[in-house]
Amino acid sequence: MTAETRMPVLEIENLCISYYTRAGEIPAVVDYNLTIYEGESVGIVGESGCGKSTVAMAIMRYMGSNGGIVGGSIKFKGRDITHMSDEELRQMRGSEIAMIYQEPMAALNPSLTIGAQLMEVPIIHEGVSEKEAYERSRDMLSDVKLPDADRVMAAYPHQISGGQQQRVVIAMALLSKPALLLLDEPTTALDVTVEAGIIELIAEIASRFGTAQIFISHNLGLVRETCDRICVMYSGEAVETGTIDDVFNRMRHPYTRGLFGAIPLPSANKNDRPLVAIPGQLPLPHERPDGCNFGPRCEYFDAGRCGSGTIAMRAVPDSPNPHETRCARFEQIDWDKRPNLGKVNEPIELGDTVLKIDNMRKYYELHDHSIKAMLSGKGTRYVKANETLSFEARKAEIVAIVGESGCGKSTFAKVLMGLETATEGKIIFNNHEIQDTEVQLRPREQVSSLQMVFQNPNDTLNPSMTVGSQISRVIRKFGVESDPDKVHDRVMRLLDLVKLPRDFYYRRPRQLSGGQKQRVGVARAFAGHPSMVIADEPLSALDVSVQAAVTELLMDIQRDYGTTLLFISHDLSVVRYLADRVVVMYLGQIMEQGTTEEIFAPPYHPYTEALLSAVPIADTTVGKRKIVLEGNLPSVVNPPIGCPFHTRCPRKIGKICEDERPPVLSDGDGHKIACHIALDELRKIEPVFFTVKPPPPSDGEGATTAVGAE
């Protein structure tokens, strides 16, 4: 059955949404159109503030007291949602249209058991008995691959992991077999392995029930892997729509091209092919320019064509599928010509060893004061957060530490920073042993030379102090300068360094965007001339364009100062682009380490192989093997005796994996793999990534590959 003969599940026509403030009406979404059919999946992408979530909330009619639909219609199965009564909306929400939110705890009641919350859905919407509701809820937990469903039903939300919470929310959304499922960044806070499992799970269940999906994300790789069509939004408008192949391979809007230039595709290279951030910022709704909203940031802007009037969506000719763009000049742009690339940089020459980790361990004691534990002699147990870590970092080198949540990455960072002390082993930093010295007891010079950029700048910036005051305090405290004029001058130069206007000296954090706050965090970290900076997930909360800007900023400063960067992340796309060497951790232990090229090509450790397979790739010329890990991380209180990964390893070779610690195999200079499988066998493993033939061009002039692809 073709799309033309099917009945659409959802039809949005000329939708306009506004919010009302003391300053007047603020148009949030303008002239938005979308049609989606049964079993179809549409991705909505764009920077924060572009209106993605606003559209989803309008579909649910969750507009708040000051928001409203001021034009157009939203028809669900032919009925206009905008004219439904409150009672009709209550019956529809959760039953026919369900939503999965970014943060699962925002959708779960901490005071009710999981079972009670799941059972509410069929009881309220379908009037079934409690017994039937319990059985259906338990069966759905099994469908979303949660082991021991009865135990989960009796548990409270805080008693299960984040990945399990997200699976519960998915189960809740699917219990009444909705016709339409809205997913608002459902995997942002999850590990890549958990993300891969959940995405596959949603697709499998939605396919079984014929559920239509709207997938809201800033991750173009995820959209490519999960969606049939894509809608690119900018400043409240759809600027390009079409199938995944059409938009990814034959993009026809400069903003879409800008998004692809800002993400680390496999062909991107930090020296020869650096990322290019989209210049400028998304305009506020009440400050949109005349004509094209993207005009002030567009390299193809023409005042005569683009600077006035309404820019309408137009069909892209000669496309085999519906493909539209909101660009007045797309016929005049040479889409086969590469856009402006970032500056080409010479590779940095690495210096002497700055950091050496030698068999470092970090254990935490757990005391069980029960009579049974005391009598059995097991009153004290240990959480083995870090187990015999050994690696080095050289001057001007970027070393990435990757692994799932709970693998010990952040614990190691705490020990290195002196927030914790090591249990055993050595940490030698700039020829000084620091593993037993807390940060309060370290010399001022040592503290200033080892700084940190945190994941969430909101948690580290004082809301009552100006940006200038916070950076000045670091300069004075570490003895870099004491003269007020020189301190002020140095702050100004640091603001120049992180590409912030000098008048930001007088601003407070609430007056800054997320990306600007992170730049302040970078400026503060480099204020004391550090020889090493630890960056703990510094990009995960940022838009793709802001990520590109902060990434290039970190590398520019690193080149200028020769700083060593320890980059903690679960985003292997960024790691592949940024890092010189990679350390792969699992359950507190190092599974593999080597150069980035060595880590991303066979021989792999089976865990590294699974991590790579979980990376979403926004390049249609790159395919990958699918490996979805089953189960969860083992308990750090009672870890496996042999290889820590054997409980989830798809390549487990037998009882030796369960009983014996794996040997560390050496594959060349510095490439080490902790595995019982022989290196010759690991070398025979097929690469996770491979090149695929791009789809044929639709316009007879050769397909335009995504920016950054060869």
Side-chain angles (χ1 to χ4, degrees), residues 359-630:
N359 290 320
M360 191 215 92
R361 297 183 180 186
K362 176 59 182 177
Y363 294 175
Y364 296 96
E365 288 188 0
L366 286 180
H367 298 285
D368 186 346
H369 298 293
S370 67
I371 295 175
K372 182 179 179 181
M374 300 296 285
L375 291 175
S376 65
K378 297 180 180 179
T380 301
R381 294 181 296 170
Y382 294 92
V383 174
K384 298 180 179 181
N386 290 149
E387 180 75 20
T388 59
L389 304 186
S390 296
F391 68 93
E392 297 181 357
R394 298 166 64 186
K395 180 179 174 63
E397 188 176 32
I398 301 179
V399 178
I401 302 179
V402 302
E404 295 171 284
S405 297
C407 74
K409 305 186 300 289
S410 295
T411 298
F412 167 71
K414 290 177 182 178
V415 175
L416 184 56
M417 291 295 294
L419 302 175
E420 305 271 3
T421 57
T423 305
E424 291 181 22
K426 293 181 179 180
I427 299 178
I428 302 171
F429 175 64
N430 284 339
N431 300 318
H432 293 91
E433 290 190 20
I434 62 172
Q435 69 276 356
D436 298 322
T437 310
E438 296 181 353
V439 65
Q440 297 93 329
L441 304 177
R442 292 180 181 179
R444 184 173 66 179
E445 296 76 16
Q446 197 174 85
V447 175
S448 66
S449 64
L450 188 60
Q451 289 293 296
M452 194 162 184
V453 179
F454 296 89
Q455 178 176 356
N456 190 347
N458 286 320
D459 293 341
T460 60
L461 295 178
N462 190 325
S464 64
M465 293 176 64
T466 64
V467 167
S469 299
Q470 299 191 55
I471 300 175
S472 299
R473 183 173 180 270
V474 176
I475 295 170
R476 288 193 299 269
K477 188 170 183 63
F478 291 147
V480 178
E481 295 286 357
S482 57
D483 180 85
D485 292 335
K486 292 182 178 180
V487 170
H488 182 272
D489 181 62
R490 175 152 180 76
V491 174
M492 290 302 185
R493 284 187 280 117
L494 281 166
L495 290 175
D496 293 340
L497 192 67
V498 297
K499 299 177 176 61
L500 286 176
R502 290 194 166 197
D503 64 359
F504 275 42
Y505 183 99
Y506 304 101
R507 293 195 182 187
R508 286 181 167 78
R510 67 175 184 275
Q511 298 172 292
L512 277 57
S513 68
Q516 290 167 342
K517 291 175 187 175
Q518 195 62 288
R519 288 169 184 252
V520 173
V522 172
R524 190 174 58 180
F526 281 89
H529 294 306
S531 56
M532 172 174 278
V533 169
I534 304 168
D536 189 1
E537 299 276 13
L539 308 174
S540 61
L542 305 177
D543 281 321
V544 289
S545 184
V546 180
Q547 280 186 10
V550 174
T551 299
E552 296 307 307
L553 171 66
L554 281 170
M555 289 194 296
D556 285 346
I557 299 175
Q558 189 217 17
R559 290 187 183 95
D560 293 341
Y561 285 79
T563 309
T564 303
L565 189 63
L566 206 61
F567 190 78
I568 298 173
S569 180
H570 69 267
D571 189 337
L572 287 171
S573 296
V574 175
V575 166
R576 181 176 191 163
Y577 171 78
L578 190 65
D580 300 304
R581 287 198 306 115
V582 181
V583 176
V584 181
M585 290 183 63
Y586 183 82
L587 211 66
Q589 302 182 38
I590 294 177
M591 296 288 97
E592 184 173 0
Q593 60 176 299
T595 65
T596 305
E597 291 75 17
E598 291 168 339
I599 296 295
F600 278 78
Y604 306 117
H605 187 283
Y607 179 57
T608 307
E609 183 185 16
L611 284 180
L612 295 177
S613 173
V615 178
I617 302 294
D619 188 337
T620 55
T621 65
V622 176
K624 68 177 182 180
R625 289 190 292 114
K626 182 181 291 186
I627 303 167
V628 178
L629 292 181
E630 299 294 337

Side-chain angles (χ1 to χ4, degrees), residues 15-18 27-32 50-51 54-55 233 236-237 288:
L15 180 66
C16 297
I17 303 169
S18 291
V29 173
V30 180
D31 187 30
Y32 187 81
C50 71
T54 302
V55 170
M233 287 192 72
E237 297 178 329
R288 290 178 179 136

Side-chain angles (χ1 to χ4, degrees), residues 251 255-265 274-278 339 548 707-708:
M251 57 195 74
Y255 179 61
T256 309
R257 170 177 271 193
L259 288 177
F260 276 90
I263 59 176
L265 295 170
L275 303 181
V276 182
I278 302 173
V707 176

